[in-house]
Amino acid sequence: MGYTIAMIGVALCVLLCGIGSCIGLYKTSTAAAGVLSEDPKKFGKVMVLVLLPATQGIYGFIIGIIASGVISSGMATATGWALFAATLPMTVSGFVSAFIQGKSAVNCIYAVGKQESLSGKLIVYPGMIEFYAILGLIISIMLVGQF
């Protein structure tokens, strides 16, 4: 039973972080397409903003790899729940921050469309949201490392 619970936790982490990244990337890429249709020279300025929500999917994948390395078939139920809980910080922060970061980056992309010189400054706003995904990653790594 513990094995199944742990596997569900790992699968949810990878899945939800990936879904959050996909939603964020959908939002940013459609905004970038609109800006680039007016001025293709801004590609380099908007590309970083477009890709920011993709990192949470990578973080979820990292936790999935680390956590799957400690799962064993004879795992006790309590240990399975503990591993499930250890993946939760990344699961929740990855899903939510990718979604919200995509929304933030969209507005920054539109601003770059209006004033290209702001691109370096505007990366700070969705970057601050990234910080919380990184905190979730660090905490999950620390918790999974206890096994």
Side-chain angles (χ1 to χ4, degrees), residues 125-141:
Y125 301 119
M128 288 188 293
I129 298 167
E130 181 80 17
F131 175 72
Y132 292 96
I134 292 169
L135 290 179
L137 173 67
I138 291 169
I139 293 300
S140 283
I141 288 172

Side-chain angles (χ1 to χ4, degrees), residues 9-33:
V10 171
L12 283 174
C13 182
V14 175
L15 182 68
L16 290 176
C17 288
I19 289 171
S21 286
C22 287
I23 293 168
L25 287 168
Y26 167 74
K27 291 176 178 298
T28 57
S29 62
T30 54

Side-chain angles (χ1 to χ4, degrees), residues 6-94:
M7 288 295 280
I8 290 170
V10 171
L12 283 174
C13 182
V14 175
L15 182 68
L16 290 176
C17 288
I19 289 171
S21 286
C22 287
I23 293 168
L25 287 168
Y26 167 74
K27 291 176 178 298
T28 57
S29 62
T30 54
V35 168
L36 295 176
S37 70
E38 294 180 14
D39 187 0
K41 294 176 188 167
K42 294 180 180 171
F43 178 80
K45 302 282 186 181
V46 300
M47 186 49 119
V48 173
L49 291 166
V50 169
L51 293 176
L52 274 175
T55 57
Q56 285 85 336
I58 296 166
Y59 300 159
F61 185 70
I62 290 169
I63 293 300
I65 290 171
I66 295 170
S68 65
V70 299
I71 296 174
S72 63
S73 59
M75 186 175 266
T77 303
T79 307
W81 278 115
L83 191 56
F84 183 94
T87 63
L88 278 178
M90 188 67 249
T91 302
V92 175
S93 69

Side-chain angles (χ1 to χ4, degrees), residues 99-147:
F99 179 78
I100 300 299
Q101 188 177 52
K103 293 178 89 168
S104 173
V106 163
N107 292 313
C108 295
I109 290 167
Y110 290 147
V112 169
K114 292 185 181 278
Q115 192 170 351
E116 188 174 352
S117 64
L118 291 175
S119 66
K121 294 175 184 173
L122 290 173
I123 198 165
V124 170
Y125 301 119
M128 288 188 293
I129 298 167
E130 181 80 17
F131 175 72
Y132 292 96
I134 292 169
L135 290 179
L137 173 67
I138 291 169
I139 293 300
S140 283
I141 288 172
M142 289 170 51
L143 293 173
V144 170
Q146 298 296 312
F147 291 91

